Amino acid sequence: MDRQTPAAPAPDAERLPRTSRSVPIALLRARENVMVPIRKMLLAAGVTEQQWRVLRVLHENGVMEPQDLARGACLIMPSLTRIVQGLERRALVARSPHPSDGRKFLLRATPAGLAVIDDNIAESNRIAADLERRFGVEKLNDLLDLLGELSEL
């Protein structure tokens, strides 16, 4: 068996930051921690994380063009297309022709789709309140402000 000799340490300018100080990795770790109780709620609701985001954005904004929905739900268009097709099959989302451009269409949550959100508002708020209690209101608001700034870079 051929063993390779460990590489000599790179000069500081060429070293990666420790994973504990890597923004992408820290964001992923935080997301996974935050998502544990949310995933339990979504499993009980019978929707995926992506489907929930689509329904949440439509619940909040009403009728939307697909590209605006994709942006709001943090999805790329090919993924949104697939997710919307699944939600349409379940009659949770409906499309209608765009009123001024026949090449486009609009999306909206159906009453059944809105009910998925409405039926889970109490649990979603309980999860948010628990996070707020554990992390602190001020720190959570600061984090949301900082993440908002980071997302606008």
Side-chain angles (χ1 to χ4, degrees), residues 16 75 111 123 130 140 144:
L16 289 171
L75 294 166
E123 180 64 8
D130 184 55
L140 191 57
L144 288 168

Side-chain angles (χ1 to χ4, degrees), residues 109-146:
T110 64
L114 295 173
V116 170
I117 300 299
D118 292 339
D119 292 348
N120 289 282
I121 286 175
E123 180 64 8
S124 182
N125 286 338
R126 187 199 63 73
I127 292 166
D130 184 55
L131 180 62
E132 203 172 76
R133 179 189 57 75
R134 290 173 47 214
F135 198 63
V137 175
E138 188 175 330
K139 283 173 64 175
L140 191 57
N141 283 327
D142 289 345
L143 175 63
L144 288 168
D145 291 342
L146 290 168

Side-chain angles (χ1 to χ4, degrees), residues 50-106:
Q50 297 84 0
Q51 290 171 335
W52 175 260
R53 291 196 315 253
V54 167
L55 291 171
R56 272 282 274 120
V57 171
L58 289 171
H59 185 270
E60 188 173 301
N61 294 289
V63 177
M64 299 181 75
E65 290 189 18
Q67 55 273 34
D68 296 330
L69 177 56
R71 196 170 18 265
C74 301
L75 294 166
I76 60 173
M77 281 303 294
S79 295
L80 178 70
T81 299
R82 179 182 44 78
I83 292 160
V84 165
Q85 288 170 347
L87 290 169
E88 284 180 307
R89 280 192 297 275
R90 294 177 58 192
L92 300 176
V93 167
R95 70 177 71 209
S96 58
H98 193 283
S100 61
D101 187 341
R103 298 168 296 169
K104 294 182 179 181
F105 62 92
L106 300 172

Side-chain angles (χ1 to χ4, degrees), residues 12-23:
D12 285 342
E14 295 178 23
R15 286 189 185 163
L16 289 171
R18 295 191 54 79
T19 55
S20 63
R21 301 306 294 171
S22 165
V23 172

Side-chain angles (χ1 to χ4, degrees), residues 28-40:
L28 287 168
R29 286 179 178 147
R31 180 186 189 280
E32 289 308 305
N33 191 38
V34 168
M35 288 303 296
V36 168
I38 295 169
R39 285 188 184 116
K40 290 178 186 175

